[in-house]
Amino acid sequence: MSEALIRQEPVSQTPFVAEGVRISLAPPMQRHALRSRNAEDLERLLMVKIPTKVGTSKGGVMCLGPDEWYLRSAIGTAIPTGEGLPLAVTDISERSICLIVEGPRASEILMAGCPLDLDQFAVGRATRTIYETVEIIVMRDAEDRFHIEVWRSFAAWLWTAMTTAARH
């Protein structure tokens, strides 16, 4: 019975390394979906400046839509619930994992299954897109480093697809 209580990651915890690319599982983190018609309400709640331009990120917060943000933070970070305010804060920490794709071939590997031209993707940009048929959130963390958020149930398939692309 106790085995059911042990966190099982859907992909290898050993990084995949091929010529010019490294694909690895990011450490566990908290994730929250944030919805508000007014960004200022979220800023007051979180006590930080948040990005308001769709497709930008700042300090772990990604603006995914005109009233939608995605917050990633360290495990144990206290996130206010927003009770009584006209906004929604939903803990989605266990829904997704993050894969880090880095190295000179990182954008090439991602573009093997993603319709975006990631070579033109600015550092700090974040968006929801697809890899083949799987929905992902991609954020460019550096010139040669991307964070890929994927639902846990699709993670093994995405890992296989990306590592296969990296082998070719």
Side-chain angles (χ1 to χ4, degrees):
M1 179 67 165
S2 63
E3 293 84 29
L5 302 176
I6 298 172
R7 182 184 180 102
Q8 298 286 325
E9 296 299 352
V11 301
S12 175
Q13 292 187 12
T14 302
F16 171 87
V17 179
E19 185 179 334
V21 69
R22 180 178 193 267
I23 304 169
S24 59
L25 177 65
M29 63 185 74
Q30 293 180 163
R31 294 168 178 82
H32 288 82
L34 311 172
R35 300 301 295 256
S36 178
R37 291 185 181 163
N38 186 341
E40 291 80 19
D41 289 338
L42 282 174
E43 289 179 341
R44 278 193 294 279
L45 177 73
L46 301 173
M47 295 185 287
V48 296
K49 187 82 173 148
I50 64 170
T52 55
K53 182 179 178 189
V54 175
T56 59
S57 65
K58 182 178 181 178
V61 180
M62 297 175 234
C63 183
L64 298 178
D67 66 349
E68 179 183 10
W69 292 264
Y70 191 84
L71 170 66
R72 297 182 324 160
S73 58
I75 297 290
T77 303
I79 304 296
T81 63
E83 188 175 330
L85 296 173
L87 52 84
V89 176
T90 307
D91 185 341
I92 55 170
S93 299
E94 293 303 318
R95 181 181 75 184
S96 300
I97 64 161
C98 178
L99 297 177
I100 299 172
V101 182
E102 57 192 333
R105 292 182 58 215
S107 62
E108 172 194 333
I109 301 313
L110 291 171
M111 289 188 300
C114 177
L116 300 176
D117 182 354
L118 296 173
D119 288 332
Q120 303 303 313
F121 214 66
V123 172
R125 183 152 180 226
T127 192
R128 183 179 285 119
T129 186
I130 59 169
Y131 190 97
E132 304 238 355
T133 59
V134 174
E135 181 181 311
I136 61 173
I137 295 174
V138 60
M139 184 186 86
R140 189 170 205 162
D141 190 43
E143 282 300 319
D144 65 348
R145 183 179 165 103
F146 294 86
H147 286 226
I148 310 302
E149 293 280 325
V150 61
W151 282 24
R152 184 174 290 282
S153 57
F154 293 107
W157 181 90
L158 182 65
W159 176 271
T160 300
M162 288 195 308
T163 56
T164 299
R167 285 185 182 98
H168 290 72

